[in-house]
């Protein structure tokens, strides 16, 4: 099994592209592809991050409060404005703009989506009036956005979003750091199965299987983690290694 | 009372459940020669399973039972180890060490071998279901070649015994031969595993050869090379199997079916001792040949040939110099006396011939093609070649000799249709392209019955004048298949041509190099037309 010994130190092509793009100062990037392979991790860690990184997880139920902020009562009985992740990222550390990581933007509702479009607009067009100070806030130099989504095809995203994010990178391999956490013999399979469409097996399942098999053996662990799929999973390993799985 | 489902049409559906579907995890398969990716997997019947790793598509039964599971495993192994369709077209299909049929059968055995090694039980769960009938029909039609290949393909599976049972209904005497052959074939793959295991045990990893399941990008690093080697051996042992599946004369003739006795039955009895003897000899030679085959491997680097047989030959470049001189002879078109006709040309026959054949009738010559090897080892002078030409008047005579750089020709047509060249071309010196020249000669014959005569000492070589058994065997196979007469020198060639002119029965005088190589490779005597 020559290719099973995954070279974990080598950055796969898709990840290298992400790194190169962010290091080069590209400030609007969409990372799309299957779930659980480290897209958010890259958004929070790659590139210039001296302004800090702020994460926003989109759901149907979320409101603009998460993006721009909301009023909240203070201990003195008055109200103060609590800034949302979008505004925080605009302001960064006060000198340099921060990074806004928007997860699963395709799941955001219409209102939030419109606000996110405004927040992620070009620095020249983007501005927001602070409800408390009435100050006109603009994104600071260095503000960047990394958007992640689990859609498989870019066509599934709205045109307005695609316009704002000219660089879209499909992530089809787990990040090597994530693979390092499991036994070497499973790394290649984990890598392959992350992008197996409807037959996908998540990294988390591999972690669980890897941990369990040390105590319970391959067969029982596979049954616990993969259920009905255990047999075909073990058969595939037996075929690939040309060895009986014990 | 249990409730039953009812659809819109009002029919009650009783006892119908959705079966559990098991889909193979083909994405987990890794190969050295292909990138991973998503697979298209579709459910299909048991006898329609197929896969192509190049297209990443697989058709397999998806039921949750052992039989289906083994078919899935078999297809997974094909996807893991076998050449893709593109690789077949580009590389393996062109190498021509063995016929496609033999390669297919030996590849099935390789897959079965790997399945057993990976802990599957093909001997308990893998069968097509039609093996008994296949064996019965193939033996009934005396198709020994197909029987051998099927025995190899089913060896190690649940279908092997039923297949032999089917064969035994018409040819029980074939069973020991088939069993021996199939065992030797299995042992061939085992020997690769044993060699590598021994190397690991002894700490001599540098001697390790590609594994049976290896998928290296180059043929010499790919496990399919073993399939190719085995297929070649099987064909050589069984003897000149052809793509068309023609029966081989050296294969034992059929025993007459029960119930058809009588006169034929008596003949059958008479022939039976010969058949039994032939089978016994074959059985003996099988064991020896199999052992020799494995021992001769010497399991080292270069064990799987880098190039295909076809690539080992020089390119054929035919020259047709002007044929300016007439050759008068008797083998070609000639006039003979006839009792009917338009112009009476033989009036004297009115008195001398009781049948009064005063007219002429044109009789066409037998034609034929004479191919003369003019390499250095033949030591032919221009006069000797000319002598051959003069004894083959209406035939097409060509001489060949390789070793020249492109675009210099390596085959010259020196005589055709009663005319020949003024001056003999100067040969290049080596052989290099005996097979392409033979193939060309066979294509040139005027009629299917026209004889093809190959004048050669059998010192067959390929590019750079390199000798190889495979090259000799390819020439031998062609000669056997096309009924080429082989003679070693000009004298025997002239003698054969004279006898052909007299319409006498002639046979090849096989050069020693050919017969020796054939004997070494197959363990059998070479018989040519």
């Amino acid at each position: 099994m020559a290719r099973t010994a995954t070279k974990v130190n080598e950055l796969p092509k898709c990840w290298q592209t992400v790194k190169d793009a962010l290091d080069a100062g590209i400030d609007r990037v969409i990372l799309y592809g299957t779930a659980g392979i480290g897209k958010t991790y890259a958004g929070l860690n790659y590139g210039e991050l001296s302004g800090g990184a702020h994460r926003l997880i989109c759901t149907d139920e979320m409101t603009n409060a998460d993006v721009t902020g909301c009023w909240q009562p203070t201990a003195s009985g008055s109200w103060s404005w609590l800034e949302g992740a979008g505004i925080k990222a605009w302001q960064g550390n006060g000198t340099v703009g921060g990074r806004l990581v928007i997860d699963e933007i395709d799941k955001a509702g219409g209102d939030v989506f419109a606000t996110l479009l405004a927040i992620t607009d070009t620095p020249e067009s983007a501005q927001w009036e602070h409800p408390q100070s009435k100050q006109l806030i603009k994104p600071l130099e260095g503000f960047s956005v990394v958007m992640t989504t689990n859609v498989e095809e870019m066509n599934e995203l709205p045109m307005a979003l695609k316009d704002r994010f000219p660089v879209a990178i499909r992530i089809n391999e787990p990040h090597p750091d994530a693979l390092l956490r499991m036994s070497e013999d499973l790394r290649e399979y984990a890598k392959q199965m992350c992008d197996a469409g409807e037959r996908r097996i998540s990294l988390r399942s591999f972690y669980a299987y890897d941990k369990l098999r040390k105590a319970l053996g391959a067969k029982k662990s596979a049954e616990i983690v993969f259920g009905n799929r255990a047999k075909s999973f073990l058969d595939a390993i037996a075929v690939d290694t040309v060895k009986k799985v014990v | 009372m249990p409730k039953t489902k009812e659809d819109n049409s009002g029919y009650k559906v009783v006892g119908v459940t959705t079966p559990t579907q098991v889909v193979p995890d083909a994405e987990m398969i890794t190969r050295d020669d292909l990138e991973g990716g998503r697979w298209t997997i579709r459910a299909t019947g048991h006898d329609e399973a197929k896969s192509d790793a190049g297209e990443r598509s697989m058709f397999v039964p998806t039921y949750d039972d052992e039989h289906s599971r083994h078919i899935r495993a078999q297809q997974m192994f094909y996807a893991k180890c076998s050449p893709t369709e593109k690789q077949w077209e580009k590389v393996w299909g062109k190498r021509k060490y063995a016929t496609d049929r033999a390669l297919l059968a030996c590849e099935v055995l390789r897959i079965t071998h790997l399945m057993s090694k990976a802990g599957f039980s093909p001997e308990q769960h893998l069968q097509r279901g039609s093996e008994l009938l296949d064996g019965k029909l193939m033996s009934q039609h005396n198709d020994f070649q197909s029987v051998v290949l099927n025995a190899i393909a089913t060896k190690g599976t649940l279908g092997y015994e039923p297949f032999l049972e089917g064969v035994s209904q018409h040819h029980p005497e074939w069973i020991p031969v088939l069993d021996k052959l199939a065992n030797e074939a299995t042992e061939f793959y085992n020997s690769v595993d044993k060699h590598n295991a021994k190397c690991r045990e002894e700490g001599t990893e540098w001697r390790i050869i590609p594994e049976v399941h290896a998928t290296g990008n180059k043929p010499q690093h790919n496990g399919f090379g073993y399939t190719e080697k085995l297929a070649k051996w099987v064909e050589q042992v069984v003897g000149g199997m052809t793509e068309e599946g023609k029966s081989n004369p050296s294969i034992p003739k059929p025993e007459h079916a029960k119930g058809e006795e009588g006169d034929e039955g008596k003949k059958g009895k008479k022939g039976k001792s010969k058949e039994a003897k032939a089978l016994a000899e074959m059985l003996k030679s099988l064991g020896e040949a199999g052992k020799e085959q494995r021992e001769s491997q010497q399991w080292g680097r270069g064990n799987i040939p880098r190039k295909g047989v076809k690539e080992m030959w020089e390119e054929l470049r035919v020259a047709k110099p002007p044929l300016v001189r007439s050759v008068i002879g008797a083998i070609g078109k000639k006039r003979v006396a006839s009792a009917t006709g338009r112009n009476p040309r033989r009036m004297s026959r009115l008195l001398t011939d009781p049948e009064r054949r005063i007219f002429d009738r044109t009789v066409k010559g037998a034609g034929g093609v004479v191919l003369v090897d003019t390499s250095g080892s033949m030591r032919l002078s221009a006069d000797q070649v000319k002598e051959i030409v003069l004894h083959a008047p209406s035939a097409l005579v060509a001489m060949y000799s390789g070793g020249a750089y492109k675009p210099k020709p390596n085959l010259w047509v020196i005589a055709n249709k009663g005319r020949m060249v003024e001056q003999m071309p100067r040969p290049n010196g080596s052989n290099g392209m005996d097979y392409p020249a033979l193939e060309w000669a066979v294509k040139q014959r005027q009629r299917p019955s026209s004889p093809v005569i190959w004048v050669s000492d059998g010192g067959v070589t390929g590019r750079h004048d390199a000798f190889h058994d495979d090259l000799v065997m390819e020439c031998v196979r062609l000669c056997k298949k096309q009924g080429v007469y082989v003679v070693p020198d000009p004298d025997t060639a002239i003698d054969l041509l004279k006898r052909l002119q007299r319409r006498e029965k002639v046979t090849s005088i096989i050069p020693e190099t050919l017969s020796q190589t054939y004997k070494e490779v197959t363990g059998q005597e070479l018989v040519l037309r």
Side-chain angles (χ1 to χ4, degrees):
Chain A
M1 200 178 60
R3 295 182 66 242
T4 307
T6 309
K7 291 176 182 171
V8 286
N9 297 327
E10 236 173 63
L11 215 50
K13 198 181 163 193
C14 57
W15 288 110
Q16 191 60 52
T17 313
V18 174
K19 194 171 184 303
D20 292 346
L22 293 175
D23 286 350
I26 293 287
D27 55 7
R28 300 288 189 278
V29 179
I30 298 182
L31 304 181
Y32 67 104
T34 191
I37 55 175
K39 296 188 293 289
T40 308
Y41 172 88
L44 293 171
N45 293 285
Y46 280 1
E48 165 58 40
L49 288 166
S50 56
H54 303 271
R55 187 178 177 187
L56 194 62
I57 303 167
C58 300
T59 61
D60 293 347
E61 305 294 318
M62 76 187 291
T63 62
N64 280 333
D66 299 304
V67 185
T68 52
C70 59
W71 291 104
Q72 74 167 17
T74 62
S76 60
S78 61
W79 291 80
S80 73
W81 182 259
L82 182 71
E83 282 165 355
I87 302 303
K88 277 183 191 166
W90 268 16
Q91 291 175 318
N93 60 7
T95 321
V96 182
R99 164 82 51 82
L100 178 63
V101 180
I102 309 170
D103 281 342
E104 305 187 45
I105 190 150
D106 50 308
K107 289 187 182 149
D111 275 4
V112 177
F113 186 69
T115 311
L116 280 172
L117 287 182
I119 290 283
T120 56
D121 210 344
T122 49
E124 295 75 28
S125 322
Q127 59 176 27
W128 177 78
E129 193 187 277
H130 196 288
Q132 196 168 19
S133 64
K134 301 294 175 193
Q135 190 190 349
L136 207 60
I137 295 175
K138 285 188 161 231
L140 289 179
E141 183 76 26
F143 168 70
S144 62
V145 187
V146 173
M147 210 164 63
T148 73
T149 171
N150 294 342
V151 299
E152 292 288 326
E153 295 296 328
M154 275 303 287
N155 303 340
E156 294 170 33
L157 288 179
M159 186 56 80
L161 207 60
K162 280 191 277 182
D163 276 354
R164 281 166 174 76
F165 291 81
V167 177
I169 303 164
R170 183 169 188 268
I171 306 295
N172 54 3
E173 282 188 36
H175 194 277
D177 292 350
L179 289 176
L180 271 176
R181 285 173 54 199
M182 70 178 74
S183 302
E184 202 179 336
D185 63 324
L186 292 177
R187 285 176 197 162
E188 185 69 20
Y189 303 136
K191 192 174 120 184
Q192 299 275 68
M193 294 311 286
C194 269
D195 194 33
E198 54 191 25
R199 285 189 302 284
R200 171 180 173 268
I201 299 177
S202 70
L203 281 184
R204 290 172 192 94
S205 301
F206 274 101
Y207 291 141
Y209 170 72
D210 192 24
K211 203 165 189 179
L212 271 175
R213 70 174 176 167
K214 283 165 193 159
L216 302 174
K219 202 179 165 194
K220 201 166 181 187
S221 312
E223 280 166 3
I224 293 169
V225 178
F226 303 112
N228 287 341
R229 205 177 164 177
K231 253 188 200 172
S232 62
F233 175 80
L234 293 176
D235 283 353
I237 293 181
V239 169
D240 195 60
T241 55
V242 199
K243 272 184 201 159
K244 196 174 178 177
V245 180
V246 183
Chain B
M1 195 179 160
K3 282 183 184 176
T4 53
K5 289 176 187 173
E6 196 171 305
D7 66 9
N8 291 339
S9 61
Y11 287 107
K12 285 177 182 176
V13 184
V14 183
V16 175
T17 55
T18 309
T20 310
Q21 301 286 310
V22 182
V23 183
D25 287 322
E27 284 83 2
M28 285 170 70
I29 285 171
T30 56
R31 289 175 66 131
D32 291 329
D33 55 348
L34 293 175
E35 288 296 316
R38 281 186 202 178
W39 281 67
T40 308
I41 298 175
R42 299 197 195 289
T44 187
H46 283 94
D47 47 356
E48 290 161 353
K50 62 177 181 179
S51 59
D52 183 15
E55 297 292 319
R56 291 200 210 105
S57 69
M58 194 178 277
F59 293 76
V60 281
T62 53
Y63 296 129
D64 187 13
D65 58 70
E66 278 301 307
H67 182 50
S68 307
R69 179 180 163 237
H70 277 73
I71 293 174
R72 286 194 294 273
Q74 189 186 39
Q75 291 306 318
M76 288 278 278
F77 265 113
Y78 278 124
K80 161 89 186 154
C81 309
S82 293
T84 62
E85 275 181 30
K86 271 185 190 166
Q87 288 169 339
W88 178 264
E89 280 167 23
K90 216 174 159 187
V91 186
W92 298 102
K94 287 181 181 171
R95 283 163 63 92
K96 299 290 172 196
Y97 279 102
T99 59
D100 292 359
R101 294 174 74 205
L103 284 170
L104 204 68
C106 294
E107 181 65 352
V108 179
L109 183 66
R110 180 167 78 118
I111 298 300
T112 310
H113 166 81
L114 292 172
M115 283 179 76
S116 302
K117 207 175 152 191
F120 294 93
S121 310
E123 74 285 357
Q124 286 174 28
H125 301 292
L126 194 65
Q127 72 174 140
R128 286 196 314 274
S130 60
E131 287 88 349
L132 182 78
L133 185 65
D134 287 347
K136 202 172 153 183
L137 289 174
M138 285 174 194
S139 61
Q140 187 185 349
H141 292 283
N142 194 30
D143 190 355
F144 187 74
Q145 294 162 7
S146 297
V147 167
V148 167
L149 294 180
N150 261 275
I152 287 172
T154 52
K155 177 71 183 169
T157 69
L158 185 60
Y160 183 60
E161 289 300 327
F163 179 72
L164 291 189
E165 199 185 319
V167 174
S168 69
Q169 290 187 17
H170 291 280
H171 284 290
E173 74 282 6
W174 286 2
I175 304 300
V177 177
L178 295 176
D179 207 32
K180 182 88 180 165
L181 195 58
N183 284 335
E184 291 292 344
T186 310
E187 196 50 41
F188 173 78
Y189 290 126
N190 283 337
S191 63
V192 179
D193 292 341
K194 281 178 193 166
H195 169 86
N196 282 351
K198 199 178 162 196
C199 291
R200 284 191 190 96
E201 203 180 299
E202 291 172 350
T204 52
E205 274 85 358
W206 55 271
R207 287 179 57 221
I208 286 178
I209 53 172
E211 300 286 355
V212 179
H213 63 270
T215 49
N217 260 321
K218 293 179 178 169
Q220 64 268 33
H221 302 145
N222 198 301
F224 189 76
Y226 297 120
T227 296
E228 197 178 55
K229 266 188 116 65
L230 180 64
K232 191 178 91 179
W233 175 76
V234 170
E235 290 199 327
Q236 282 166 355
V237 168
V238 176
M241 287 187 192
T242 59
E243 190 70 49
E244 294 79 23
K246 284 178 187 168
S247 297
N248 189 295
S250 65
I251 302 306
K253 286 176 186 169
E255 188 195 28
H256 292 280
K258 285 172 191 174
E260 285 180 16
E261 295 203 350
D263 288 348
E264 282 186 8
K266 282 174 196 172
K267 280 180 200 168
K269 274 182 189 173
K270 198 182 172 186
K272 204 174 176 181
S273 61
K274 277 185 186 174
E275 286 160 17
K277 202 179 163 189
L279 279 168
E281 272 175 18
M282 195 173 191
L283 197 59
K284 195 182 160 195
S285 71
L286 266 179
E288 286 167 5
K291 203 180 165 197
E292 275 170 21
Q293 148 87 353
R294 288 196 301 280
E295 281 171 358
S296 69
Q297 300 296 339
Q298 293 171 340
W299 295 131
R301 283 189 188 150
N303 200 264
I304 299 169
R306 200 161 54 89
K307 285 182 176 176
V309 185
K310 293 281 176 226
E311 294 163 286
M312 289 195 222
W313 297 111
E314 266 183 38
E315 185 194 347
L316 183 72
R317 294 185 294 275
V318 181
K320 290 180 180 172
L323 308 174
V324 289
R325 283 184 60 188
S326 297
V327 191
I328 301 154
I331 205 175
K333 196 167 148 182
K334 63 172 183 178
R335 290 167 191 268
V336 292
S338 170
T340 57
R342 282 176 70 183
N343 300 318
R345 291 174 195 269
R346 300 170 189 250
M347 292 304 288
S348 58
R349 281 188 175 246
L350 266 175
L351 303 170
T352 55
D353 188 350
E355 290 178 33
R356 295 181 177 181
R357 289 177 290 190
I358 58 168
F359 299 100
D360 266 0
R361 180 166 60 92
T362 307
V363 177
K364 279 186 181 174
V369 181
V370 182
L371 183 69
V372 188
D373 168 6
T374 50
S375 63
S377 62
M378 289 290 287
R379 294 192 189 120
L380 291 183
S381 65
D383 286 343
Q384 281 175 306
V385 179
K386 200 171 166 185
E387 200 65 21
I388 295 172
V389 173
L390 292 172
H391 282 88
S394 72
L396 185 152
V397 186
M399 57 179 260
Y400 72 93
S401 169
Y405 290 108
K406 206 173 174 180
K408 213 177 162 192
N410 48 19
L411 187 145
W412 301 265
V413 177
I414 51 174
N416 195 11
K417 295 177 184 169
R419 302 188 80 79
M420 66 178 285
V421 288
E422 182 67 49
Q423 200 176 1
M424 288 294 160
R426 198 188 163 106
N428 299 318
S430 62
N431 288 64
M433 18 65 75
D434 304 76
Y435 180 82
L438 268 170
E439 219 175 19
W440 175 87
V442 167
K443 276 185 198 157
Q444 303 306 313
R445 58 181 165 194
Q446 298 83 351
R447 287 192 292 279
S449 59
S450 301
V452 178
I453 300 142
W454 182 30
V455 187
S456 171
D457 58 355
V460 170
T461 60
R463 276 176 201 268
H464 312 300
D465 220 14
F467 177 84
H468 201 285
D469 289 355
D470 290 326
L471 301 179
V472 178
M473 288 304 291
E474 197 174 28
C475 290
V476 169
R477 271 197 292 272
L478 182 75
C479 291
K480 282 184 105 170
K481 189 177 170 185
Q482 300 293 344
V484 175
Y485 293 109
V486 188
V487 284
D489 51 58
D491 291 343
T492 44
I494 290 166
D495 183 51
L496 187 128
L497 285 165
K498 279 181 182 170
R499 291 172 66 191
L500 273 174
Q501 282 174 24
R502 293 198 295 267
R503 295 177 189 264
E504 286 176 15
K505 199 181 173 187
V506 291
T507 52
S508 294
I509 297 163
I510 302 168
E512 213 178 321
T513 320
L514 289 190
S515 55
Q516 261 183 10
T517 310
Y518 189 81
K519 174 99 180 165
E520 277 167 22
V521 173
T522 64
Q524 292 169 18
E525 294 294 338
L526 175 60
V527 180
L528 290 175
R529 187 182 181 187

